[in-house]
Amino acid sequence: MADANTTKPSVVLLTKAGELMEKIVSLCKRRGFIFQSSEIYGGLNGFWDYGPLGAELKRNIKEAWWRSMTQFRDDIVGLEATIIMHPKIWEASGHTSTFADLMVDCLLTKKRFRADQIEPQSGIAYSYTGATDGASGKESKDSFSVLLPPGKPPESARKVAKQFYQLRGVENATLLGERTEQIKDTTRYNPENGSLLTEPRPFNLMLETYVGPVKSDENKSYLRPETAQAIFVQFKNVLEVSRQKVPFGICQIGKAFRNEINPRNFTFRSREFEQMELEFFIRPDEATEAIYGSIATPSGPGHPGEPQPNWGWQMWHQYWVEERFRFYENIGLPRISLVEYWQKPDELAHYAKATVDILYKFPFSKRDDKGELMGEELEGVAARSDFDLSQHQRYSGKSMTVFDEELKAAWPKLDDAKKSALSQSYFESRKKYLVKMGESEPKAEKQARDESEALSKGYYIPHVIEPSAGVDRLALALICNAYGEDQAPDEKGKMETRVVMKFHPRIAPVKVAVFPLLKNKPDLVKKAKEVRDLLRPHMSVFYDEAGAIGRRYRRQDEAGTPFGVTIDFETLGEKGPELQDTVTLRERDSMKQDRVKIADLPQRWRATIR
Ligand code: GAP
């Protein structure tokens, strides 16, 4: 079975892009960025391990994100919650009922596909009503059909159909009732062998487990499919202890699990992965308008600048989209490699007001009519209204409302028309939500009226903007973006192809490599180790004394180490006192070499590596 746990992880590769991806996948293994999980047992589809360089890369990504969210801001605090949580959480969030992809199975091979990932095909469909075996008298009345691309002989359809009936015990099958039909843009056939697929049916992506010694339905639980829900359920606790006021955010980094039907494109779609999620809680627009008289809305594209108290949800949403682009650029993904994709109304979750996906142009991304890479999702920035907290309020019976002193003070000063307009708008949005969630009309009306009344006293359920990113996808994007080949001279001065990983120093797994020119000169080795120890408290350092210096440089180029420091005879003062205690500093991308004082090294890269 294609999806069995013992199959090798699939790397779906396209022709030219495939070649590049093959090189990247091979480098990841060779240099210890990414390995197949459980490789010696044949791998486990959708699971990946990070080797020494990959582990450092991932840590650097997470640290950069965490620092940008917490250390550099006053209005966001962190959380670290458990992977397994109360199963009711997933009922409230909608995951148990709706977190599903449509899947289809090949009727011949049983290979499973995600229905939306089947490319439309055209050709002639050969259909059969059954088959018999004259010799044994066996027969099958199962109907079956095969799609043949234009130009293929009918025999190939019959061959596939006979295999289908053989699997049903009809050995020497005579096919019955052959019919042909021209078909355009269908997704009902296996693109690999033309066999008909099963009807699409939903497949819940949550991985189940049991908590406690008894494997019963009451003990069934789930590995979280996203980190976000923990933030919502701990919202009140965090609010109480952190002395934050809306608008403020709670962020979390952690593992998430999805039983993806078709893990593919290396680590892009995995079954175990990490997310970096922020839930940024804001006032409902009605509250902001009551306090500030009007709400600020975007005047055009681009970063709207420092947050202002009169911002409505659209400003906050645009702000977070732009902040997230800045983050990616800051760790080395050029703006031109990214795409801002606004989800269309029919793609939006029913509760979302807007969602922008930030895409990276992976080599395996599809191309548009002009041949441009369209990109694949790195992150979604969603304006999720007050849906999540409202759901947890309904399911847990615990209030998720906050009290807003400024709103309470502002409300009595509004004129009656304004009071009535804001109350009505809030009432309508709350009623819409309640009815959508299945409350009866009168009950929804009463509750929405009460909530609208509470608004006038300063109480509301906050709305949320959610930038939600994947660590592994970002690591893959950074690896793809860093991969380069150029020409560099070998030991004898002959030009050869150099593979170089041009990571931004901020996320490079190793920042600097330290080399003694020769390993059999104790003074050089001693000095080189002194330099290594001097740098270690400030950055990750790799010490290497094995092999010719050119080969050592190449190894670090492949690892993506931005700087190399060589301790040579000049360093020891053998070429005059003015060069004593200086080193050769080699820059990875330009391969330019400079003479630099050892004492200046620790401070030299401070700004670029943090
Ligand atoms: N809380 C919202 C949420 O989970 P999502 O779009 O399903 O939204 C957010 O996931 C991010 O998590 C994606 O943009 C992607 O980077 C990452 N992600 C989701 N599924 C993944 C998978 N199967 N493998 C790797 N990363 C994944």
Side-chain angles (χ1 to χ4, degrees):
M1 259 180 52
D3 209 34
N5 286 343
T6 50
T7 52
K8 279 197 161 190
S10 60
V11 178
V12 175
L13 302 170
L14 308 168
T15 47
K16 262 250 173 83
E19 274 168 39
L20 174 58
M21 272 317 285
E22 259 169 30
K23 285 182 179 179
I24 290 171
V25 172
S26 142
L27 176 115
C28 281
K29 158 117 204 235
R30 179 160 43 86
R31 293 315 316 262
F33 282 97
I34 301 173
F35 304 128
Q36 285 182 14
S37 161
S38 326
E39 190 188 282
I40 61 168
Y41 288 96
L44 188 63
N45 200 3
F47 295 85
W48 299 93
D49 293 340
Y50 288 80
L53 290 176
E56 293 292 339
L57 176 68
K58 265 187 92 172
R59 286 182 83 89
N60 293 342
I61 291 170
K62 290 187 276 184
E63 257 175 57
W65 187 88
W66 192 260
R67 264 203 316 271
S68 77
M69 289 294 168
T70 60
Q71 195 174 326
F72 287 106
R73 311 185 59 111
D74 293 325
D75 57 356
I76 300 179
V77 291
L79 177 73
E80 193 161 323
T82 58
I83 285 170
I84 296 175
M85 300 189 287
H86 198 293
K88 259 202 137 178
I89 288 172
W90 307 113
E91 279 176 45
S93 66
H95 282 82
T96 40
S97 54
T98 59
F99 192 55
D101 280 338
L102 289 178
M103 63 170 182
V104 285
D105 295 328
C106 172
L107 284 172
L108 187 64
T109 61
K110 305 271 182 283
K111 183 167 176 176
R112 185 158 285 177
F113 298 90
R114 242 176 74 174
D116 64 343
Q117 285 174 354
I118 307 265
E119 291 290 333
Q121 309 156 74
S122 302
I124 301 177
Y126 286 74
S127 303
Y128 304 93
T129 51
T132 57
D133 178 348
S136 68
K138 286 240 162 116
E139 70 168 351
S140 162
K141 292 222 167 115
D142 293 343
S143 47
F144 182 62
S145 67
V146 184
L147 185 75
L148 282 195
K152 268 207 147 190
E155 258 327 299
S156 32
R158 292 173 192 142
K159 194 169 154 206
V160 174
K162 283 182 182 175
Q163 286 168 0
F164 171 82
Y165 289 111
Q166 272 158 11
L167 288 172
R168 276 144 192 86
V170 188
E171 247 337 289
N172 294 306
T174 303
L175 301 170
L176 302 175
E178 182 177 278
R179 272 182 305 113
T180 59
E181 188 189 352
Q182 194 84 36
I183 295 197
K184 244 177 102 67
D185 294 335
T186 173
T187 53
R188 296 286 302 116
Y189 294 86
N190 181 346
E192 292 163 7
N193 61 10
S195 163
L196 187 68
L197 299 162
T198 56
E199 287 294 328
R201 54 192 193 281
F203 172 77
N204 193 294
L205 300 183
M206 283 204 293
L207 278 151
E208 292 174 7
T209 188
Y210 295 89
V211 175
V214 183
K215 227 175 161 187
S216 63
D217 268 359
E218 302 87 81
N219 288 346
K220 190 153 89 181
S221 202
Y222 304 94
L223 304 189
R224 66 183 175 199
E226 62 170 26
T227 61
Q229 293 306 319
I231 297 179
F232 297 123
V233 300
Q234 291 293 2
F235 167 72
K236 272 299 186 77
N237 276 337
V238 175
L239 181 69
E240 255 162 49
V241 300
S242 62
R243 298 165 58 87
Q244 293 283 350
K245 281 196 310 192
V246 174
F248 82 104
I250 306 176
C251 68
Q252 175 167 224
I253 298 179
K255 288 272 189 183
F257 301 81
R258 295 182 189 178
N259 199 5
E260 296 285 356
I261 296 171
N262 205 358
R264 59 183 195 152
N265 287 330
F266 200 18
T267 57
F268 181 81
R269 190 173 301 288
S270 305
R271 288 178 167 145
E272 174 174 339
F273 55 96
E274 273 183 286
Q275 289 187 316
M276 306 182 287
E277 298 201 291
L278 165 68
E279 303 303 331
F280 197 83
F281 299 98
I282 57 174
R283 289 176 166 129
D285 276 2
E286 291 85 353
T288 307
E289 194 172 337
I291 300 168
Y292 296 100
S294 63
I295 50 169
T297 52
S299 54
H303 198 295
E306 281 302 296
Q308 300 301 318
N310 63 344
W311 278 7
W313 74 265
Q314 284 170 300
M315 287 296 267
W316 278 113
H317 184 238
Q318 181 163 337
Y319 169 82
W320 276 113
V321 170
E322 293 297 328
E323 280 289 295
R324 299 303 303 138
F325 272 109
R326 280 187 181 176
F327 171 81
Y328 290 120
E329 287 181 83
N330 207 28
I331 57 170
L333 290 183
R335 188 67 177 77
I336 192 164
S337 70
L338 301 167
V339 177
E340 177 175 333
Y341 176 78
W342 284 76
Q343 285 191 10
K344 306 201 170 67
D346 62 333
E347 295 171 305
L348 284 176
H350 67 85
Y351 47 78
K353 290 170 177 248
T355 298
V356 169
D357 290 336
I358 300 177
L359 317 181
Y360 173 74
K361 296 176 186 170
F362 285 98
F364 50 76
S365 303
K366 287 194 191 132
R367 290 180 185 271
D368 64 14
D369 299 345
K370 297 192 200 94
E372 289 289 319
L373 286 171
M374 289 158 74
E376 303 280 342
E377 183 186 326
L378 278 187
E379 167 161 0
V381 186
R384 296 175 65 96
S385 71
D386 52 7
F387 174 77
D388 304 276
L389 289 179
S390 301
Q391 283 295 93
H392 289 300
Q393 175 166 295
R394 286 179 62 232
Y395 276 73
S396 69
K398 304 279 179 332
S399 164
M400 291 289 163
T401 54
V402 297
F403 174 62
D404 190 326
E405 193 74 62
E406 283 177 83
L407 174 60
K408 186 183 176 215
W411 194 272
K413 297 179 200 147
L414 301 174
D415 62 38
D416 286 348
K418 192 79 162 178
K419 278 182 192 163
S420 155
L422 294 176
S423 290
Q424 187 60 20
S425 158
Y426 194 70
F427 163 80
E428 273 160 20
S429 76
R430 292 302 298 163
K431 185 179 157 197
K432 191 168 156 211
Y433 156 74
L434 290 163
V435 169
K436 183 106 202 165
M437 289 302 110
E439 291 294 2
S440 65
E441 191 78 22
K443 215 170 154 201
E445 184 134 349
K446 158 126 194 10
Q447 189 177 328
R449 197 60 75 205
D450 291 348
E451 288 176 338
S452 176
E453 181 63 28
L455 182 80
S456 68
K457 301 195 167 75
Y459 294 93
Y460 54 78
I461 296 179
H463 285 226
V464 74
I465 308 289
E466 177 196 71
S468 167
V471 183
D472 307 79
R473 283 197 187 169
L474 179 50
L476 185 59
L478 289 165
I479 287 171
C480 292
N481 187 66
Y483 186 91
E485 291 177 11
D486 59 16
Q487 296 291 306
D490 69 4
E491 294 303 295
K492 295 182 186 120
K494 202 174 132 230
M495 293 309 264
E496 61 172 6
T497 301
R498 170 178 88 128
V499 172
V500 53
M501 296 297 284
K502 294 185 175 175
F503 290 122
H504 190 289
R506 206 161 276 136
I507 49 104
V510 178
K511 310 299 180 204
V512 58
V514 176
F515 316 109
L517 185 62
L518 299 168
K519 83 165 176 189
N520 57 3
K521 296 281 179 224
D523 289 350
L524 287 178
V525 169
K526 181 165 174 277
K527 195 73 182 170
K529 288 186 173 166
E530 276 173 29
V531 172
R532 175 197 66 189
D533 294 343
L534 173 80
L535 294 177
R536 263 188 177 156
H538 306 276
M539 65 198 81
S540 55
V541 185
F542 186 80
Y543 174 81
D544 187 6
E545 55 182 34
I549 190 72
R551 279 225 297 284
R552 281 183 269 166
Y553 284 153
R554 282 302 172 280
R555 281 205 290 268
Q556 290 311 309
D557 290 341
E558 279 196 345
T561 307
F563 309 109
V565 164
T566 305
I567 285 71
D568 44 29
F569 293 107
E570 283 89 334
T571 318
L572 302 180
E574 291 186 14
K575 303 260 171 86
E578 66 283 2
L579 293 182
Q580 186 163 6
D581 284 329
T582 65
V583 290
T584 302
L585 171 60
R586 176 186 181 266
E587 204 268 327
R588 176 197 63 202
D589 299 350
S590 63
M591 293 184 275
K592 227 176 90 208
Q593 303 197 356
D594 258 345
R595 225 46 237 168
V596 177
K597 283 188 189 149
I598 291 174
D600 291 343
L601 289 176
Q603 301 310 317
R604 190 179 172 98
W605 301 300
R606 248 169 69 141
T608 34
I609 64 175
R610 275 188 70 87

